[in-house]
Amino acid sequence: MWCSLMIPTFLFLSFFSVGLAPNPGSATNENDNYPPFWDQINGDIAEFPVQNNKIIVDLWKYMDRLKIYKILITESNKYFALFGENTRGNVLWALTLFYGKLFKTDRFSAPLNSSMCAYEAGGSSCISIDSGWGGFNHYVIILNFLGAIESEFLGNLPYEVELISREEYRSNFCYSIEECRASYPQAMDTANRFYKYLQSRKMVSTIKDIPQYDTDEDTAIRYMWELHQAAIDIAKPKLSDESLYSSKTERDFSLDFLLAMEFCEAALYRPYFESSAEFLVGFPHRLLTDQDRDILISNLSVREKALLNAVKLISETNKITGGLFLTTWKMAMNSEFARAAGRFLIKRLLSIPSL
Ligand SMILES: *[C@@H]1O[C@H](CO)[C@@H](O)[C@H](O)[C@H]1NC(C)=O
Ligand SMILES: *[C@@H]1O[C@H](CO)[C@@H](O)[C@H](O)[C@H]1NC(C)=O
């Protein structure tokens, strides 16, 4: 036990002191944090076309996924009124802002031709089915959307939803409740649990005409992150191939970043609007090339280098300990005090210029 506690303790102590350095750069213009075209949709399922009595959704289009994120945010806002004004306390902001960031940084483009499905195409942009990031995000959005439908969180929809499937990598992806349930029953249960939990919340008071629900902060955040992780766990073995990324450096970064997210999730990192935007400040603004392998000499910003370094350090420490680092970290995050310390450490780690 002592031995297994050494890693987090060591890390904590070593960064605690460095962590007192000033925090260089922070979330800039707040409107930049919203996903592109957020204001052009209204978060209503009626925005999707209906054909033959079916709501038609194409998850390989940027706007269609964005509409789903906005529907989920709109429908769940009331449960999070206690955690932030103007809906900023919604725990789904983390996934939503990250989605926009992936698009803005061209991570949904085709690995072999970065002008295909590029950010520049604007609101009509596709999400390349050859993009590893696009694939990961597919699982995140589909589990959320189908979980919300299956648990009846979205109420009675006027029509059945039909997700347009693609022939490419057909066996990699699922496109309906039946299909996803057959392949990933546990992940679907995890998705249902989050949306059922919200539905079970009761209105307890009204503050300035805004109803407040008895949502437990840690429970909601835990269920949301567990849903996210269930999606990543399905996707990882299918989407680790180098050919799905613009470079080997980008591939390694993607997998390391998702591993680092597991550490954040265990600490119940706050997925609210501001904390998510702050977390993403250092997310590299462009695809990484193999010239970026040496982080110190790459031309990325200070915060981007800090994030890359942090993610790499976490991944390498986990590798040399044979995965014990993550296991131990998860075990250590068993009290509110430890999780608060964990979150503090993560924030500091993300803003240290170089290690
Ligand atoms: C790359 O994609 C763009 C946009 O879809 C297309 O116009 C161009 O022909 C493609 N280039 C190659 C080499 O395939
Ligand atoms: C920064 O580095 C990238 C990748 O090595 C390169 O493509 C880009 O042109 C560089 N940008 C500047 C402003 O030097």
Side-chain angles (χ1 to χ4, degrees):
M1 196 59 198
W2 268 115
C3 180
S4 61
L5 278 175
M6 256 169 59
I7 306 166
T9 311
F10 166 73
L11 268 172
F12 183 74
L13 292 178
S14 52
F15 292 121
F16 194 89
S17 45
V18 191
L20 300 174
N23 186 354
S26 64
T28 44
N29 186 355
E30 129 175 355
N31 281 333
D32 293 347
N33 291 321
Y34 282 96
F37 309 106
W38 185 254
D39 288 340
Q40 296 178 22
I41 52 174
N42 58 25
D44 185 343
I45 193 112
E47 282 183 298
F48 285 106
V50 172
Q51 268 167 31
N52 302 324
N53 291 329
K54 284 191 173 150
I55 300 167
I56 308 291
V57 179
D58 186 350
L59 288 180
W60 296 103
K61 283 185 178 158
Y62 172 73
M63 282 312 264
D64 280 27
R65 279 192 205 185
L66 188 69
K67 284 175 190 168
I68 295 173
Y69 279 107
K70 193 152 186 179
I71 290 168
L72 296 175
I73 290 251
T74 307
E75 295 296 322
S76 59
N77 273 336
K78 65 179 181 185
Y79 299 109
F80 304 112
L82 273 170
F83 309 138
E85 285 181 359
N86 298 324
T87 82
R88 287 165 170 262
N90 193 315
V91 305
L92 290 168
W93 278 121
L95 306 184
T96 306
L97 298 193
F98 188 43
Y99 174 64
K101 193 81 171 188
L102 288 172
F103 178 51
K104 271 192 254 184
T105 58
D106 262 343
R107 286 186 163 80
F108 295 139
S109 64
L112 289 178
N113 179 357
S114 62
S115 44
M116 205 180 275
C117 302
Y119 171 50
E120 274 161 26
S124 63
S125 183
C126 45
I127 293 174
S128 169
I129 199 162
D130 293 317
S131 145
W133 280 111
F136 274 111
N137 188 265
H138 184 273
Y139 280 106
V140 172
I141 195 65
I142 205 164
L143 281 185
N144 272 281
F145 188 39
L146 297 183
I149 296 175
E150 199 183 35
S151 65
E152 297 179 347
F153 177 78
L154 296 180
N156 283 326
L157 298 177
Y159 305 100
E160 208 180 303
V161 170
E162 180 172 315
L163 302 176
I164 299 179
S165 62
R166 289 280 193 286
E167 279 317 306
E168 297 103 311
Y169 307 106
R170 184 63 186 85
S171 61
N172 259 8
F173 299 107
C174 61
Y175 291 96
S176 66
I177 290 176
E178 296 71 32
E179 229 176 69
C180 296
R181 205 159 248 299
S183 306
Y184 316 109
Q186 278 180 339
M188 286 294 282
D189 286 348
T190 306
N192 271 264
R193 185 178 57 180
F194 172 65
Y195 288 102
K196 279 187 180 148
Y197 174 73
L198 294 183
Q199 284 178 84
S200 72
R201 296 303 87 205
K202 303 269 180 297
M203 200 179 111
V204 284
S205 62
T206 309
I207 298 176
K208 292 187 201 148
D209 290 337
I210 301 172
Q212 312 282 323
Y213 285 74
D214 62 350
T215 312
D216 179 66
E217 188 174 31
D218 281 359
T219 307
I221 293 176
R222 181 184 307 281
Y223 286 178
M224 188 285 295
W225 281 132
E226 284 178 2
L227 164 48
H228 174 259
Q229 194 55 42
I232 302 304
D233 288 342
I234 295 173
K236 235 179 203 175
K238 302 175 196 294
L239 299 170
S240 299
D241 200 88
E242 217 177 298
S243 66
L244 299 169
Y245 300 87
S246 58
S247 67
K248 182 171 187 315
T249 308
E250 175 71 23
R251 193 276 307 261
D252 293 349
F253 164 68
S254 307
L255 299 180
D256 291 351
F257 182 82
L258 292 169
L259 175 72
M261 290 275 301
E262 278 194 66
F263 285 79
C264 301
E265 290 168 2
L268 299 186
Y269 193 89
R270 295 328 199 199
Y272 307 134
F273 191 95
E274 270 78 19
S275 42
S276 304
E278 177 60 27
F279 184 87
L280 289 170
V281 168
F283 194 80
H285 71 281
R286 58 167 173 79
L287 292 163
L288 301 181
T289 68
D290 285 329
Q291 279 90 307
D292 296 315
R293 181 152 285 276
D294 186 348
I295 298 168
L296 281 179
I297 60 163
S298 80
N299 61 14
L300 294 159
S301 76
V302 170
R303 281 293 296 266
E304 288 169 336
K305 288 182 184 181
L307 184 138
L308 290 176
N309 270 321
V311 153
K312 203 171 178 183
L313 175 80
I314 288 171
S315 159
E316 280 175 359
T317 310
N318 198 47
K319 220 172 273 167
I320 47 176
T321 58
L324 191 64
F325 184 31
L326 178 59
T327 322
T328 313
W329 175 270
K330 283 183 180 168
M331 269 163 41
M333 293 294 122
N334 63 357
S335 69
E336 183 39 38
F337 175 78
R339 289 189 294 269
R343 294 194 290 271
F344 176 82
L345 172 61
I346 290 163
K347 279 188 194 156
R348 284 305 171 190
L349 198 50
L350 287 172
S351 55
I352 298 169
S354 60
L355 297 170

